[in-house]
């Protein structure tokens, strides 16, 4: 299977390496071309650098938008047409940091980032909020744990998107657990109760309630 990854910063690079190690073929795109080329060289034959964001979607069944939340809408607008029919995975946390490293939320308190992103997508795109529940370093260290895999939480309103993102999560070396619909995306974000947790499936399901697993 082929997945496009747009954004090859810290988190995007870690996601790419984990997916490639699990056997996924990748098409990479980034505003920082050198970063994308370096990442592709590290990964090897499983990754190619696309000409641009639209080109990255060619032949890809899914796209991971590993971008700052503040640039998400502009990139979605740029590639809106080809997103129809594809799984769109968004790991972005709706936060920004100032020059002193102070983190603040860019959405009003209580507003679901998942609902906001869903409103930006064209009809026919299938959204899952996933891969942003751990910081890049923790994501890398927690992948492919043994004997029991660590859980990666996700949210979606689309059953088909859920099946597809679960395959990607397993490919990356984690056990997927659904935490609800996109209105629950706040639980996965920085400051949310499910963010930066390294837990097994049983504990994960107890945290979200077994009836929603």
């Amino acid at each position: 299977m082929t997945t496009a990854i747009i954004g090859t910063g810290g988190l995007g690079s870690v996601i790419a390496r984990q997916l490639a190690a699990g056997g996924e073929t990748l098409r990479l795109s980034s505003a920082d071309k050198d970063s994308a080329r370096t990442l592709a060289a590290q990964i090897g034959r499983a990754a190619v650098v696309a000409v641009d964001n639209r080109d990255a979607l060619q032949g890809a069944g899914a796209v991971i938008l590993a971008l700052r939340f503040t640039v998400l809408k502009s990139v979605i607008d740029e590639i809106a047409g080809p997103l129809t029919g594809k799984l769109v995975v968004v790991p972005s946390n709706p936060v920004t940091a100032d020059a002193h490293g102070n983190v603040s939320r860019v959405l009003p308190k209580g507003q679901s980032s998942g609902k906001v992103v869903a409103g930006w997508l064209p009809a026919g795109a299938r959204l899952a909020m996933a891969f942003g529940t751990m910081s890049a370093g923790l994501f890398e260290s927690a992948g492919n744990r043994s004997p029991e895999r660590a859980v990666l939480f996700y949210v979606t309103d689309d059953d088909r998107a859920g099946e597809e993102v679960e395959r990607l999560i397993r490919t990356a070396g984690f056990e997927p657990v659904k935490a609800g619909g996109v209105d629950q995306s706040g639980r996965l974000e920085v400051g949310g109760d499910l963010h930066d947790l390294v837990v097994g499936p049983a504990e994960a399901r107890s945290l979200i309630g077994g009836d929603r697993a």
Side-chain angles (χ1 to χ4, degrees):
M1 300 290 286
T2 299
T3 293
I5 297 181
I6 297 178
T8 56
L11 184 58
S13 293
V14 170
I15 293 169
R17 287 193 293 267
Q18 296 282 100
L19 286 173
E24 195 78 0
T25 299
L26 305 174
R27 292 180 61 80
L28 308 176
S29 180
S30 176
D32 183 346
K33 298 294 185 184
D34 288 341
S35 168
R37 284 191 287 265
T38 298
L39 179 60
Q42 291 172 351
I43 290 171
R45 296 173 61 183
V48 298
V49 179
V51 175
D52 54 29
N53 292 341
R54 291 178 70 89
D55 180 58
L57 301 179
Q58 296 298 315
V63 57
I64 298 173
L65 301 179
L67 302 162
R68 295 190 310 278
F69 196 87
T70 49
V71 302
L72 260 180
K73 186 177 187 302
S74 63
V75 173
I76 289 171
D77 289 345
E78 174 194 348
I79 60 175
L83 290 181
T84 300
K86 294 189 188 298
L87 169 67
V88 180
V89 182
V90 176
S92 308
N93 278 245
V95 296
T96 188
D98 64 21
H100 303 289
N102 299 310
V103 175
S104 58
R105 203 167 191 268
V106 298
L107 293 176
K109 185 177 180 180
Q111 187 171 19
S112 161
S113 61
K115 288 289 190 183
V116 171
V117 174
W120 293 339
L121 291 173
R126 302 188 303 277
L127 173 65
M129 305 293 285
F131 289 104
T133 54
M134 294 181 184
S135 58
L138 189 59
F139 186 94
E140 191 163 33
S141 64
N144 293 298
R145 275 203 326 179
S146 180
E148 182 179 68
R149 284 187 166 191
V151 159
L152 206 65
F153 295 102
Y154 74 92
V155 296
T156 186
D157 290 336
D158 185 301
D159 289 342
R160 186 176 168 195
E163 293 172 3
E164 294 172 347
V165 79
E166 286 196 357
R167 183 193 70 80
L168 286 175
I169 288 170
R170 290 191 176 99
T171 299
F174 293 86
E175 182 65 23
V177 171
K178 183 178 179 181
V182 295
D183 61 326
Q184 296 297 309
S185 59
R187 300 187 70 188
L188 312 185
E189 301 163 3
V190 172
D193 66 308
L194 301 180
H195 187 78
D196 265 357
L197 293 183
V198 180
V199 296
E203 185 176 353
R205 291 187 173 93
S206 72
L207 288 168
I208 63 170
D211 59 326
R212 289 169 55 189

